[in-house]
Amino acid sequence: MQCPECGESAADVRLMYCENCGAKMPARPAPPPRASSARSNRPSRPMTEPAYAAEILDEEEEDRRQASGAQPPRGSKAQPPPEAFEDEDPYTGPRWLKDVPGHSQSVLGVGLVAFSLVLSILPFFPSVGVLGTLLSLVGCVSLVARELRRDGNAPGWVDSVPLVLMRPEIPAAFTLLLLALSVRLLAGFNLLFPIWAAGTALIAVEQYKLVIAEPDGVARDFDLRSLLGFPRVVALAGVAVCVVALFLSWGKVMADGSALPDNAPVPGGVRSVPAELRVIPTTRPSDDSLYSAGGGVASRSGWDLPLSELPLLALLSVLVLAALRTDVERPAFLRWVPVGAVSVSLLWALAGVKLAVGPIAFLLGLGAVGFHAVRHAMGRDEPAEYLPPEDDPYDPDQDLETEPDSGYRG
């Protein structure tokens, strides 16, 4: 920069007066603003205010960050507005349900039940039967759809589920079904029962709070204490005997699962066969695999019969109808349902009946349930304490005693 008076060039552009003649030097032009500088977009701090070290360090850190394109850390003064961040999940429930669809423990329980149904396909796991599997699958779909719709994040397939499966009675019935099928899995030690029981417990605990025990739940339509009054207590005892009978022996089968033919020679015993075909009892070595494998006789329980879950569910429906309150409206055909359930159970028992303790006990218990079913069809199954009080019999002398004296003496 040159002096306008003497023409001497100044060595330092920041000088305001010429060093040679003392004339005032022209004003220095302002430098152009940098595009990458963040200070040009930030309001300048008044010179009268002190510059704190923390603010200076924040400004320098912001300049370096904007030059590199990185985002500022959360909580800093240079943090962008909250709407610049993604919306976080407002879920505040248990952490173990955060990743579960609908944040519902019932959905987690349905997953365990479905896993149990898949394992039951394998030959070395027990099964809940064809009927129990179909009913369980329908209940799983309806319960998951109901829970997702209650959460408000239902996918598109939920709209295709019939509305009748969304009623609160369906989760209650599904919970009762799982509890009944848990009894079916108790026949023998198996690794499938703990998984099934865990899923059933998760579903039962939550659904009891949502659709059973709440003020408007289905429990208001039932009175379990009525099962302890005569004649309904007879049906309760009969169903208990039938369930226990299913765990008892219902006959003999070969060790490989095939049926034992009549009048067949049995190792270690003799049946009614000709003398020339009788088996002579002999002692076999314990390590004789050819004799022990597939040649022995085993006892089978009622659960080993086909459709063994059918009488269990049928007799359970009798107790459900017996516990229904009298003031609840019901179709007229429901009075014949207990008779139909007893008939179905009787036909099932006669199809696989053998001379064993299991069928005999089952038929005895079924007779007690049939006694209640007939009374229910006739409309005489109410316990004595639930019946309306009878009117006093008419006494003709009562009117003569209470009639006022007219004064007529004849």
Side-chain angles (χ1 to χ4, degrees):
M1 182 180 296
Q2 295 182 350
C3 178
E5 298 294 336
C6 63
E8 184 70 20
S9 298
D12 193 353
V13 296
R14 295 178 297 178
L15 295 177
M16 300 180 62
Y17 296 95
C18 179
E19 296 178 348
N20 186 26
C21 63
K24 187 176 181 178
M25 299 293 289
R28 182 180 58 176
R34 293 182 298 172
S36 60
S37 176
R39 296 182 181 180
S40 60
N41 299 329
R42 186 172 56 248
S44 60
R45 183 174 57 253
M47 299 300 295
T48 57
E49 297 182 1
Y52 297 98
E55 296 181 359
I56 296 176
L57 293 177
D58 289 343
E59 293 174 358
E60 293 179 356
E61 181 68 22
E62 182 182 354
D63 292 341
R64 290 193 298 268
R65 186 176 296 107
Q66 290 187 0
S68 61
Q71 293 292 336
R74 300 290 300 272
S76 63
K77 294 183 178 180
Q79 179 181 351
E83 54 269 12
F85 295 96
E86 297 180 358
D87 295 333
E88 296 182 356
D89 189 3
Y91 175 70
T92 58
R95 296 188 59 182
W96 59 283
L97 294 176
K98 184 176 182 180
D99 297 330
V100 178
H103 308 301
S104 171
Q105 70 179 42
S106 296
V107 177
L108 180 61
V110 167
L112 294 177
V113 171
F115 180 65
S116 301
L117 293 177
V118 173
L119 290 180
S120 64
I121 301 176
L122 301 177
F124 43 83
F125 281 106
S127 174
V128 294
V130 178
L131 180 60
T133 301
L134 293 178
L135 294 178
S136 299
L137 290 178
V138 174
C140 289
V141 173
S142 63
L143 183 57
V144 171
R146 177 182 172 86
E147 291 297 314
L148 294 180
R149 177 173 293 183
R150 185 173 62 90
D151 184 67
N153 297 323
W157 64 269
V158 175
D159 297 334
S160 60
V161 178
L163 294 179
V164 67
L165 296 179
M166 298 293 181
R167 295 177 58 87
E169 293 82 1
I170 300 301
F174 179 54
T175 303
L176 186 60
L177 173 67
L178 294 180
L179 293 175
L181 294 179
S182 299
V183 179
R184 166 70 178 84
L185 294 177
L186 284 175
F189 175 77
N190 57 85
L191 298 178
L192 188 63
F193 177 75
I195 304 176
W196 182 278
T200 302
L202 290 175
I203 296 174
V205 169
E206 186 173 37
Q207 295 306 312
Y208 180 79
K209 300 177 182 179
L210 294 178
V211 300
I212 298 178
E214 63 176 5
D216 296 334
V218 298
R220 70 184 188 277
D221 298 332
F222 295 90
D223 186 11
L224 298 180
R225 293 178 303 174
S226 63
L227 295 178
L228 301 179
F230 183 84
R232 298 184 181 183
V233 68
V234 178
L236 180 62
V239 172
V241 171
C242 291
V243 173
V244 173
L246 292 175
F247 290 93
L248 303 179
S249 174
W250 281 62
K252 302 290 185 179
V253 292
M254 303 299 293
D256 57 357
S258 59
L260 186 66
D262 295 335
N263 298 330
V266 181
V270 180
R271 291 198 176 186
S272 298
V273 294
E276 60 273 10
L277 296 180
R278 292 181 180 178
V279 178
I280 301 176
T282 57
T283 302
R284 301 280 183 169
S286 59
D287 58 349
D288 190 352
S289 59
L290 294 179
Y291 174 77
S292 60
V297 178
S299 175
R300 65 175 180 178
S301 65
W303 298 115
D304 297 328
L305 300 178
L307 293 177
S308 58
E309 69 278 3
L310 178 60
L312 174 66
L313 300 179
L315 297 177
L316 186 62
S317 65
V318 175
L319 295 181
V320 171
L321 292 178
L324 194 63
R325 294 183 181 271
T326 56
D327 56 347
V328 177
E329 297 182 1
R330 69 196 77 183
F333 70 88
L334 283 182
R335 62 188 303 181
W336 301 102
V337 170
V339 176
V342 173
S343 302
V344 171
S345 302
L346 180 60
L347 292 177
W348 175 85
L350 293 178
V353 67
K354 298 289 184 180
L355 187 58
V357 62
I360 296 176
F362 186 85
L363 293 178
L364 291 177
L366 197 61
V369 182
F371 170 76
H372 162 76
V374 174
R375 292 179 61 92
H376 182 81
M378 299 173 61
R380 299 190 302 176
D381 66 319
E382 290 293 331
E385 60 269 18
Y386 290 90
L387 293 176
E390 297 181 358
D391 297 336
D392 295 335
Y394 175 73
D395 186 6
D397 296 335
Q398 182 180 2
D399 295 339
L400 296 178
E401 295 176 357
T402 58
E403 184 178 359
D405 189 5
S406 61
Y408 177 72
R409 302 304 179 185

